């Protein structure tokens, strides 16, 4: 007995000594200089392009902000004090931009410690509503554009836990607002709640193959707290702040005003709740009310959705995508599956599109049937609408012009393609506001308009096309071809005048917005953001193209340090960063969507910091995983992964820039999964960085990423692809970083913890860094700076100084 106790004590001592009490660190000055910059403001432009709201934010949250109270219920993360998402990104300042003069005007009255979010124009666009979050409440403010003043309309008590907490009414004199119930009960602290019995779940024999969701309800206490936080009363609030009760308490979700402003479509969550799916799959009711809050039509009561057929093209039975028909005053539209929602069922048509005309006394009317799964609609008028459908397994995408007044007749397939074939993308149809203020297809003299990205083998050339609705032919009105700059057409201001909002950028030219007049051939700059990354504006940047061993064409963006002499070709250490993507054919996998003229921007998770540290960086290296015909991409995942990596290293090595013995690989999420697999199955790298990954695929047994098969359908695929199952093959140093509160499906913190334990137990060189309070993406300044420090230390020791550094890692 004494021997057993002694062994236990020694084991605990060793475990404790293995933990390193390192406080938050800051990275090398050259990295910190690039990371700690102030982002430019966000612009909210009115529909005429005359007035904009500039919203300013900080680069990061703080660890103190992330440490505020948080409740995780039904797939949500809620600040229970202020009743808004605990992960909300806030703006601290707002100003008004006069586009014509370019002048920026201060908005008077906004509090100095403002935390602004959820801004929305009224219908006339002479006022802006915006939320302000304080320590313990949520306020509603109104900005008057003419006077340039802000006033507090509601001093607190708004509830933003389920969807947007307010909408403008059509008259602009009132808003419909979700408010906390007056006699609201207190939340229960589950940590001190005395259990009244066990938590029990059961199966009725039906398959319920759900992904591994996080932050789900776990017990009756969670159910109580969720219902409490989700419940609101609806009030009609005028511009003086006078509030009138409009509807009694319920768990109100989305609220949408009809195009004519006379009806309101409300979705509300109902019971029973579930412990295996998030709240958006709880039972819910969709109803139409008039402006007095009288129930006009119960559209659909959707049951609990725990059981859905297998496959990414699977869906629910009954009405879905219930919404207003935007070209009509108050007609409804929705979609219903014709195949039971089951992709495995053979069917000539998968979905049916219906409309229900106001006043909802007639039967629903069939408008169109889609060959594949419905993917959206853009209404135009009685004769014109655009319907989209797609099918995941084949990656097919279809765009169809329909005539809503002649159901099932007069349809025309405008475009049918592989959804991953960006070179043949026809673009997106332009919309504009109709007389009711709803977005409909922009039409002029029998023509529609398209804005396209314009990717091709030669580069990116954004375009504007005009489509004749009679002949179905198109004419190109504009194609961008700027010299050593990149243009993106973002919005149509006025198709009749040929005015569009575009974004223009260059390698070292920060993206700014312009008004482009394609009729006059002119452009006017409307934002003037400066480059915050001047320290690397002279880095060498090029898109390199190369081939994988099997002939698949690949590409990546290569960066070389400022001042690097390409003639001398000093052998540099290199960091390669990537993210695998699945394809159904080699042709689309070979397409390039990178431009050397894109602005060299650095986000918190970017690998580009190490250009400033003397590394070559190959960013966005193509890592296609291809499964043609009946083959699934993941059937040969490892072989293709290694083939992609080898081709990338060979390509840069052939240019003479790198020391291939000092190459590191890294990635985030599925890129971390990639990194661990590459280090397990090849000897191409000196070290790796894996952030917030999943390493044991048996913990995601009903599919992951783009894999539709379950573990029991393809156990050999799951096992072969799992780095955890191959931990004994790891011989390369790997740095694991993970947010302690990761909420992404599949990437539980447990994934990194168990993988680290396996690697450590098998003698691999590894380090596990768990970032407190962080989710799947890291946001606190302290966390990000420390993450950069960890990565820099790892790369300096195991890559740059691989041959000489014998010091112990901090």
């Amino acid at each position: 007995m004494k021997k057993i106790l002694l062994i236990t004590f020694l084991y605990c001592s060793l475990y404790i000594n293995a933990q390193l009490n390192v406080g938050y660190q800051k990275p090398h000055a050259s990295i910190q200089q690039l990371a700690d910059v102030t982002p430019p403001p966000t612009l909210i432009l009115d529909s005429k392009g005359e007035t904009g709201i500039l919203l300013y934010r900080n680069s990061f949250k703080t660890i103190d902000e992330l440490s505020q109270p948080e409740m995780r219920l039904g797939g949500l993360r809620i600040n229970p004090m202020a009743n808004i998402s605990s992960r909300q990104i806030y703006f601290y300042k707002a100003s008004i931009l006069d586009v014509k003069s370019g002048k920026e005007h201060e908005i008077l009255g906004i509090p100095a410690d403002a935390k602004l979010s959820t801004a929305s124009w009224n219908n006339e666009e002479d006022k802006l509503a915006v939320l302000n979050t304080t320590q313990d409440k949520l306020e509603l403010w109104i900005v008057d554009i003419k006077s340039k003043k802000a006033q507090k309309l509601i001093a607190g008590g708004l509830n933003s836990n389920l969807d947007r907490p307010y909408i403008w009414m059509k008259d602009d004199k009132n808003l419909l607002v979700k408010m906390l119930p007056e006699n609201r009960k207190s939340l229960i602290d589950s940590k001190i709640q005395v259990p009244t019995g066990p938590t029990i779940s059961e199966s009725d024999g039906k398959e319920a193959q759900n992904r591994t969701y996080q932050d789900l309800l776990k017990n009756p206490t969670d159910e109580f707290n969720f219902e409490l936080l989700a419940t609101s009363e609806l009030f009609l609030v005028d511009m003086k702040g006078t509030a009138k009760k409009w509807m009694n308490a319920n768990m109100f979700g989305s609220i949408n005003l009809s195009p004519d402003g006379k009806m309101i479509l409300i979705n509300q969550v109902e019971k029973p709740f579930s412990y295996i799916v998030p709240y958006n799959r709880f039972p819910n009711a969709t109803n139409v009310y008039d402006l007095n809050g009288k129930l006009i039509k119960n559209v659909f009561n959707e049951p609990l959705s725990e059981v859905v057929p297998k496959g990414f093209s699977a869906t629910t039975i009954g009405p879905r995508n219930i919404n207003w028909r935007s070209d009509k005053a108050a007609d409804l539209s929705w979609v219903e599956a014709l195949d039971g929602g089951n992709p495995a069922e053979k069917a000539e048509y998968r979905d049916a599109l219906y409309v229900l005309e106001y006043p909802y006394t007639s039967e629903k009317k069939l408008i169109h049937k889609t060959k594949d799964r419905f993917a959206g609609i853009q209404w135009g008028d009685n004769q014109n609408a655009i319907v989209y459908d797609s099918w995941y397994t084949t990656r097919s995408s279809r765009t169809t012009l329909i005539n809503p007044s002649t159901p099932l007749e007069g349809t025309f397939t405008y475009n049918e393609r592989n959804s991953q074939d960006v070179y043949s993308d026809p673009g997106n149809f332009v919309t504009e506001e109709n007389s009711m203020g709803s977005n409909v297809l922009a039409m002029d003299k029998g023509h529609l308009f398209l804005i396209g990205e314009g990717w091709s083998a030669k580069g990116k050339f954004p375009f504007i096309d005009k489509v004749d609705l009679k002949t179905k032919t198109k004419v190109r009105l504009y194609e961008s071809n700027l010299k050593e700059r990149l243009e993106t057409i973002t919005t149509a201001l006025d198709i009749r005048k040929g005015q569009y909002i575009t974004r223009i950028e260059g390698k070292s030219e920060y993206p700014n917005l312009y008004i482009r007049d394609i009729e006059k051939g002119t452009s006017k700059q409307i934002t003037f953001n400066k480059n915050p990354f001047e320290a690397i504006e002279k880095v060498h940047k090029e898109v390199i193209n190369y081939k994988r061993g099997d002939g698949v064409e690949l590409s990546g963006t290569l960066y070389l340090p400022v001042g690097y002499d390409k003639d001398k070709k000093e052998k540099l250490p290199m960091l390669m960063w990537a993210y695998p993507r699945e394809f159904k054919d080699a042709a689309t996998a070979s397409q390039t969507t990178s431009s050397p003229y894109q602005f060299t921007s650095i986000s918190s998770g970017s690998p580009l910091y190490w250009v400033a540290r003397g590394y070559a960086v190959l960013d966005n290296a193509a890592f296609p995983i291809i499964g043609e015909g009946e083959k699934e991409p993941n059937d040969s995942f490892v072989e293709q992964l290694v083939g992609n990596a080898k081709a990338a290293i060979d390509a840069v090595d052939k240019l003479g820039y790198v020391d291939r013995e000092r190459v590191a690989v890294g990635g985030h999420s599925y890129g971390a999964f990639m990194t661990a697999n590459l280090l397990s199955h090849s000897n191409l790298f000196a070290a790796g960085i894996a952030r917030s990954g999943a390493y044991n695929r048996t913990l995601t047994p009903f599919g992951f990423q783009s894999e539709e098969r379950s573990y029991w359908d393809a156990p050999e695929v799951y096992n072969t692809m799992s780095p955890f199952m191959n931990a004994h093959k790891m011989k390369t140093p790997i740095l694991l970083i993970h947010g302690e509160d990761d909420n992404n499906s599949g990437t539980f913190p447990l994934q990194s913890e168990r993988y680290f334990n396996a690697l450590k137990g098998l003698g691999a060189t590894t380090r596990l860094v768990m970032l407190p309070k962080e989710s799947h993406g890291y946001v606190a300044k302290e966390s990000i700076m420390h993450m950069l420090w960890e990565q820099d230390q790892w790369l300096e020791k195991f890559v740059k100084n691989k041959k000489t550094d014998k010091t112990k890692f901090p």
Side-chain angles (χ1 to χ4, degrees):
M1 186 67 177
K2 291 182 178 179
K3 290 183 179 179
I4 294 174
L5 288 173
L6 179 60
I7 292 171
T8 304
F9 174 77
L10 288 174
Y11 175 81
C12 293
S13 298
L14 287 171
Y15 181 80
I16 293 170
N17 290 336
Q19 313 314 307
L20 301 175
N21 295 317
V22 178
Y24 286 113
Q25 301 294 311
K26 293 181 179 180
H28 189 275
S30 61
I31 293 177
Q32 189 172 345
Q33 176 188 5
L34 294 169
D36 198 6
V37 298
T38 301
T42 297
L43 174 66
I44 303 177
L45 202 61
D46 68 3
S47 61
K48 297 178 182 178
E50 296 175 351
T51 304
I53 303 295
L54 292 170
L55 297 170
Y56 293 82
R57 66 176 178 85
N58 293 313
S59 296
F60 315 103
K61 283 179 174 287
T62 66
I63 199 65
D64 179 66
E65 289 178 275
L66 286 191
S67 301
Q68 297 304 305
E70 179 181 72
M71 300 192 78
R72 303 171 188 176
L73 302 166
L76 297 173
R77 294 192 169 184
I78 294 170
N79 177 339
M81 302 292 290
N83 291 283
I84 192 170
S85 169
S86 56
R87 303 289 164 153
Q88 179 69 48
I89 300 298
Y90 294 110
F91 299 94
Y92 65 86
K93 175 186 172 183
S95 60
I96 297 172
L97 174 68
D98 180 82
V99 173
K100 186 176 181 179
S101 67
K103 291 183 179 180
E104 184 177 349
H105 301 278
E106 180 185 0
I107 298 174
L108 301 175
I110 291 181
D113 58 349
K115 295 172 70 175
L116 308 174
S117 65
T118 322
S120 175
W121 290 106
N122 66 349
N123 297 288
E124 288 297 318
E125 297 181 320
D126 60 354
K127 291 183 175 61
L128 188 87
V130 64
L131 300 178
N132 181 52
T133 302
T134 69
Q135 183 70 24
D136 59 356
K137 60 181 181 292
L138 190 60
E139 307 169 340
L140 182 63
W141 287 66
I142 301 296
V143 177
D144 182 83
I145 302 302
K146 186 176 180 180
S147 67
K148 301 177 180 58
K149 293 181 180 179
Q151 66 172 15
K152 187 190 301 181
L153 190 71
I154 303 176
L158 275 78
N159 189 349
S160 189
N161 292 330
L162 294 184
D163 211 86
R164 176 186 289 266
Y166 71 88
I167 60 167
W168 284 98
M169 302 303 283
K170 204 71 171 181
D171 59 7
D172 282 347
K173 296 178 182 178
N174 297 278
L175 297 103
L176 189 61
V177 183
K178 296 180 189 177
M179 301 290 293
L180 301 174
E182 185 176 355
N183 298 316
R184 192 190 198 202
K185 296 179 181 178
S186 297
L187 292 164
I188 298 175
D189 187 345
S190 59
K191 294 179 181 179
I192 62 173
Q193 177 74 3
V194 178
T196 59
T199 299
I200 300 172
S201 300
E202 66 178 9
S203 171
D204 60 3
K206 296 179 181 179
E207 291 186 354
Q209 298 190 6
N210 295 299
R211 291 289 178 112
T212 48
Y213 300 110
Q214 301 199 46
D215 300 338
L216 299 177
L217 303 182
K218 298 180 180 65
N219 50 53
T221 299
D222 280 357
E223 292 191 57
F224 175 87
N225 286 336
F226 174 83
E227 184 175 5
L228 193 72
L229 290 165
T231 299
S232 304
E233 295 176 333
L234 294 180
F235 283 82
L236 205 59
V237 183
D238 65 19
M239 290 296 98
K240 293 182 180 179
T242 303
K244 177 184 177 182
K245 173 77 78 67
W246 192 80
M247 190 171 290
N248 291 328
N250 213 318
M251 290 181 284
F252 298 113
S254 62
I255 301 176
N256 292 291
L257 199 64
S258 64
D260 67 356
K262 297 180 181 180
M263 296 287 151
I264 302 176
L265 185 69
I266 299 179
N267 179 269
Q268 57 199 47
V269 177
E270 298 188 335
K271 293 181 177 181
F273 299 149
S274 170
Y275 293 180
I276 66 173
V277 293
Y279 88 95
N280 56 9
R281 290 175 60 178
F282 292 176
N284 64 90
T286 302
N287 299 311
V288 176
Y289 300 88
D290 67 13
L291 296 184
N292 295 314
K294 177 184 176 182
L295 177 64
I296 302 299
K297 176 70 176 179
N298 169 237
V299 183
F300 184 54
N301 293 314
E302 185 173 4
L304 176 64
S305 179
E306 288 185 338
V307 180
V308 177
K310 184 171 62 176
F312 292 152
S313 294
T315 190
T316 55
I317 299 173
R320 66 182 198 277
N321 296 86
I322 303 170
N323 215 327
W324 297 113
R325 179 172 165 173
S326 59
D327 64 325
K328 295 290 185 178
D331 289 1
L332 291 163
S333 72
W334 66 77
V335 179
E336 295 183 30
L338 297 173
D339 58 0
N342 190 352
E345 292 291 327
K346 292 184 178 180
E348 182 179 3
Y349 297 99
R350 295 290 178 179
D351 283 333
L353 173 65
Y354 296 97
V355 296
L356 183 64
E357 297 175 344
Y358 179 81
Y360 321 125
T361 54
S362 60
E363 293 296 315
K364 64 185 180 183
K365 183 187 295 184
L366 177 64
I367 294 294
H368 181 64
K369 293 181 180 179
T370 60
K371 292 183 178 180
D372 290 327
R373 193 65 73 211
F374 176 83
I377 185 167
Q378 290 177 298
W379 297 100
D381 55 22
N382 265 340
Q383 287 74 43
N384 300 283
I386 304 292
V387 176
Y388 303 92
D389 64 299
S390 62
W391 199 248
Y392 177 78
T393 305
T394 58
R395 310 300 197 271
S396 64
S397 174
R398 186 179 295 105
T399 303
T400 306
L401 280 71
I402 70 168
N403 186 335
S405 64
T406 59
L408 308 181
E409 297 179 13
T411 62
F412 174 77
T413 302
Y414 178 75
N415 182 266
E416 189 169 2
R417 67 186 180 92
N418 183 320
S419 60
Q420 295 178 310
D421 180 7
V422 294
Y423 289 178
S424 66
D425 188 346
N428 298 313
F429 284 94
V430 175
T431 61
E432 63 182 1
E433 288 187 357
N434 61 11
S435 59
M436 296 181 290
S438 295
N439 279 330
V440 295
L441 290 169
M443 287 183 277
D444 182 40
K445 299 176 182 179
H447 292 86
L448 298 178
F449 296 80
L450 285 159
I451 294 175
E453 289 281 320
W455 286 108
S456 71
K458 296 181 179 179
K460 183 182 180 184
F461 306 97
F463 61 82
I464 301 168
D465 284 347
K466 181 169 70 172
V467 180
D468 189 312
L469 283 168
K470 287 185 178 180
T471 65
K472 308 300 187 294
T473 57
K474 64 182 180 182
V475 175
R476 183 140 299 181
L477 301 178
Y478 174 76
E479 183 173 280
S480 177
N481 191 13
L482 300 179
K483 186 177 181 180
E484 296 190 354
R485 297 167 87 201
L486 192 65
E487 183 172 23
T488 302
I489 305 165
T490 63
T491 313
L493 280 180
D494 192 325
I495 59 168
R496 293 154 193 86
K497 294 181 180 179
Q499 295 180 344
Y500 296 80
I501 300 291
T502 73
R503 186 180 73 243
I504 297 177
E505 60 192 292
K507 287 182 180 180
S508 58
E509 178 184 343
Y510 197 88
N512 276 293
L513 297 180
Y514 293 72
I515 296 179
R516 180 171 289 286
D517 191 317
I518 65 172
E519 298 289 336
K520 297 179 181 178
T522 59
S523 63
K524 177 185 177 182
Q525 188 170 347
I526 59 174
T527 63
F528 297 86
N529 299 314
K530 303 297 183 183
N531 180 5
F533 306 112
E534 292 182 350
I536 61 165
E537 66 177 1
K538 294 183 180 180
V539 299
H540 173 76
K541 176 182 181 180
E542 65 175 304
V543 175
I544 63 171
N545 297 285
Y546 48 95
K547 288 186 178 182
R548 201 164 72 179
D550 58 1
V552 175
E553 295 183 2
L554 306 174
S555 65
T557 305
L558 178 65
Y559 299 84
L560 300 175
V562 175
Y564 178 78
D565 191 331
K566 291 196 294 179
D567 293 326
K568 289 184 178 179
K569 294 186 176 181
E570 175 192 354
K571 298 293 185 180
L572 299 173
M574 185 174 81
L575 173 60
M576 180 168 66
W577 207 263
Y579 192 94
R581 299 188 185 278
E582 295 84 352
F583 294 86
K584 286 302 292 180
D585 65 90
T588 54
S590 296
Q591 293 181 351
T592 300
T593 55
S594 297
S595 170
Y597 308 123
Q598 185 175 4
F599 175 69
T600 305
S601 179
I602 303 183
S603 64
S604 59
S606 173
L608 298 188
Y609 296 103
W610 282 272
V611 178
R613 294 284 278 144
Y615 291 74
V617 174
L618 185 64
D619 193 19
N620 198 27
F623 266 71
I625 308 297
I626 306 165
E628 296 189 300
E630 297 298 317
K631 295 180 179 179
E632 291 294 330
N634 287 338
D635 290 346
S636 54
F637 177 84
V638 170
E639 295 88 340
Q640 294 192 64
L641 204 67
V642 174
N644 292 327
K646 184 177 184 303
I649 296 172
D650 287 346
V652 184
D653 185 34
K654 187 176 180 181
L655 294 173
Y657 302 146
V658 299
D659 176 359
R660 64 182 305 138
E661 297 297 317
R662 295 187 297 156
V663 177
V665 63
H668 189 94
S669 192
Y670 207 55
F673 174 72
M674 169 205 73
T675 297
N677 265 304
L678 283 172
L679 301 189
S680 299
H681 298 287
S682 76
N683 59 358
L684 296 169
F685 299 98
I689 298 170
R691 298 195 314 240
S692 297
Y695 308 104
N696 185 344
R697 296 274 58 130
T698 69
L699 298 179
T700 56
F702 292 115
F704 57 90
Q705 200 71 5
S706 295
E707 178 57 65
E708 293 184 282
R709 297 168 295 183
S710 75
Y711 171 78
W712 296 273
D713 295 328
E716 69 288 347
V717 171
Y718 277 69
N719 288 319
T720 300
M721 290 180 66
S722 294
F724 182 87
M725 308 304 183
N726 295 279
H728 60 292
K729 299 178 182 178
M730 178 65 73
K731 304 300 179 186
T732 307
I734 183 170
L735 172 64
L736 302 172
I737 302 177
H738 215 120
E740 282 187 357
D741 296 331
D742 193 333
N743 64 338
N744 184 54
S745 177
T747 56
F748 294 94
L750 178 72
Q751 289 272 7
S752 286
E753 293 167 350
R754 291 293 179 264
Y755 186 43
F756 170 79
N757 287 340
L759 293 173
K760 182 178 177 63
L762 293 166
T765 301
T766 183
R767 180 177 172 98
L768 174 63
V769 180
M770 302 299 293
L771 298 173
K773 308 296 182 181
E774 293 291 353
S775 184
H776 192 59
Y778 319 141
V779 296
K781 183 174 183 178
E782 294 87 343
S783 302
I784 291 168
M785 292 300 177
H786 186 85
M787 173 196 74
L788 295 173
W789 177 81
E790 291 280 359
Q791 293 181 174
D792 190 50
Q793 294 289 317
W794 198 258
L795 292 172
E796 289 291 292
K797 177 174 179 60
F798 294 110
V799 182
K800 181 187 284 186
N801 301 304
K802 175 184 176 182
K803 299 175 182 178
T804 60
D805 194 338
K806 303 298 181 183
T807 61
K808 184 179 179 181
F809 189 85

